[in-house]
């Protein structure tokens, strides 16, 4: 049994990860400022003796004694990370610095939740880990993209200079139950719109592509990377099945039985045209690959949103 810190543990991916770690018998400390996280995501864990919730902002240093750190704290939806972009930079840079300082002090292994956004609007397709990316340094997405890139830089400098035991996961679009109703990312937006009978807002012509990974696969990948010996990454974690956004909209309408119309809204600036992970490295080094396809994952996600919207 290990003592494991999960920053952002009250968020979408974090809360599923916390559950999986508790199920493996670990002690879990969840560090949260509840910017985009939700107490409801972890309410059912509060009474458990091996679970502890710490309200704290990663931008501020903290002293804790742990064996492992999963650093997930950071708003992930463009709507939320652009709300206060300077804060997003601080969370990625100062937050990661603080967590690396903690890991160094107590000799903990630390995993950074990086992102496919480090590849920007990629000119290499599918994206492999050796691609350096195509990122606008001054655009609306830069606070997140460059923030995550600098977080990776810090991870590798602490590793080289201080021997910190690091793991870097480049997470591609992940979806599933517990995404916030107001999250603003595409899967949750489309599912909510379809269930409420509102128009489905496809940005641009919907020909841009994404590859959607179901949450249980992502949690398994993150844990496999943390447990892998002698492998820092960076490693892509995602589902390589690529869809256009228009295809996703049509699939959601079909699966919900919704009467919602599909409408087109302006494409946000710097929206990546295509994205698909090459997961050869994860498959080879971690024996990991996604098992849940889009239809199965969407069915679970739609059922969860249906239930929550009915409660509201
Ligand atoms: P999320 O917004 O649901 O979760 C992020 C959590 O971090 C929230 O609970 C939020 O309250 C917390 N947080 C934010 N700033 C904080 C701060 N300064 N101090 C403490 N807590 C803070 O998003 P998610 O989808 O669960 O993403 C989790 C991590 O995975 C993020 O680092 C994100 O960048 C990364 N990621 C996610 C995806 C995806 O598709 N879901 C893709 C790439 C990378
Ligand atoms: N998108 C869309 N309608 C929405 C929300 C998003 O068409 O209501 C598009 C968005 O422009 C992008 C894709 O869906 O091309 C994925 O967007 P998301 O915000 O989920 O993630 P990211 O752009 O960071 O991959």
């Amino acid at each position: 049994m290990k003592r494991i810190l999960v920053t952002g543990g009250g968020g979408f991916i974090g809360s599923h990860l916390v559950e999986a770690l508790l199920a493996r018998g670990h002690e879990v400390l969840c560090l949260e400022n509840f910017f985009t996280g939700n107490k409801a995501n972890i309410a059912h864990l509060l009474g458990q003796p091996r679970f502890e919730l710490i309200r704290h902002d990663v931008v501020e240093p903290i002293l804790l004694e742990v064996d492992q750190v999963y650093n997930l704290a950071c708003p992930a939806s463009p709507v939320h990370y652009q709300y206060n972009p300077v804060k997003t930079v601080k969370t990625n840079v100062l937050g990661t610095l603080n967590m690396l300082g903690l890991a160094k002090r107590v000799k903990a292994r630390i995993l950074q939740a990086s992102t496919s956004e480090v590849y920007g609007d990629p000119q290499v397709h599918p994206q492999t880990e050796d691609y350096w990316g195509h990122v606008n340094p001054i655009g609306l997405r830069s606070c997140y993209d460059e923030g995550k890139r600098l977080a990776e830089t810090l991870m590798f400098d602490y590793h080289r200079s201080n021997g910190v035991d690091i793991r870097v996961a480049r997470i591609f679009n992940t979806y599933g139950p517990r995404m916030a109703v107001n999250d603003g990312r595409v899967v949750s937006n489309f599912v909510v719109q379809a269930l409420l009978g509102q128009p489905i807002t496809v940005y641009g012509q919907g020909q841009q592509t994404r590859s959607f990974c179901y949450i249980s696969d992502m949690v398994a990948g993150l844990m496999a990377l943390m447990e892998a010996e002698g492998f820092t990454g960076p490693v892509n974690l995602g589902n390589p099945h690529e869809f256009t956004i228009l295809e996703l909209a049509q699939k959601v309408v079909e699966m919900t039985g919704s009467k919602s119309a599909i409408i087109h809204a302006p494409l946000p600036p710097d929206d990546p045209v295509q994205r698909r992970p090459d997961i050869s490295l994860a498959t080879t080094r971690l024996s990991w690959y996604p098992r849940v396809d889009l239809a199965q994952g969407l069915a679970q996600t739609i059922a969860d949103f249906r239930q929550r919207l009915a409660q509201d």
Side-chain angles (χ1 to χ4, degrees), residues 168-181:
V168 174
R170 291 189 178 149
I171 301 173
F172 283 63
N173 297 65
T174 301
Y175 71 100
R178 273 196 209 137
M179 291 186 90
V181 168

Side-chain angles (χ1 to χ4, degrees), residues 8 10-13 32-37 56-58 72-76 87 91 113-115 144 148 171-174 185:
F12 162 54
I13 298 180
E32 255 299 336
N33 74 348
F34 290 111
F35 173 45
T36 50
H56 183 80
D57 195 308
V58 277
L72 271 60
C74 179
K87 177 65 194 250
T91 296
S114 187
T115 168
Y144 185 78
K148 289 283 187 183
I171 301 173
F172 283 63
N173 297 65
T174 301
R185 281 176 283 183

Side-chain angles (χ1 to χ4, degrees), residues 96-241:
T96 306
L97 200 61
N98 287 331
M99 289 307 119
L100 278 162
L102 186 155
K104 178 183 160 193
R105 185 176 58 83
V106 300
K107 296 190 170 42
R109 180 174 291 181
I110 177 168
L111 181 149
Q112 171 65 13
S114 187
T115 168
S116 53
E117 290 279 332
V118 300
Y119 303 123
D121 188 6
Q123 294 175 319
V124 166
H125 193 75
Q127 292 78 55
T128 44
E129 289 85 352
D130 56 5
Y131 176 48
W132 289 357
H134 180 230
V135 175
N136 176 356
I138 58 167
L140 291 179
R141 297 175 83 101
S142 314
C143 59
Y144 185 78
D145 299 9
E146 297 288 20
K148 289 283 187 183
R149 284 169 69 96
L150 193 70
E152 287 200 10
T153 306
L154 285 169
M155 293 287 287
F156 278 87
D157 282 335
Y158 266 77
H159 176 62
R160 283 185 291 256
S161 305
N162 303 106
V164 174
D165 190 7
I166 61 157
R167 302 286 182 274
V168 174
R170 291 189 178 149
I171 301 173
F172 283 63
N173 297 65
T174 301
Y175 71 100
R178 273 196 209 137
M179 291 186 90
V181 168
N182 69 348
D183 180 271
R185 281 176 283 183
V186 69
V187 174
S188 48
N189 269 11
F190 286 1
V191 170
V192 170
Q193 290 162 346
L195 292 177
L196 296 180
Q198 297 169 352
I200 313 276
T201 54
V202 168
Y203 300 160
Q205 290 310 305
Q207 292 309 307
Q208 69 273 33
T209 67
R210 296 293 186 273
S211 309
F212 299 101
C213 184
Y214 189 63
I215 182 66
S216 56
D217 286 328
M218 183 54 59
V219 167
L222 292 170
M223 289 168 70
L225 174 59
M226 182 63 106
E227 294 310 325
E229 291 304 327
F231 179 53
T232 59
V235 61
N236 292 337
L237 295 179
N239 190 315
H241 287 143

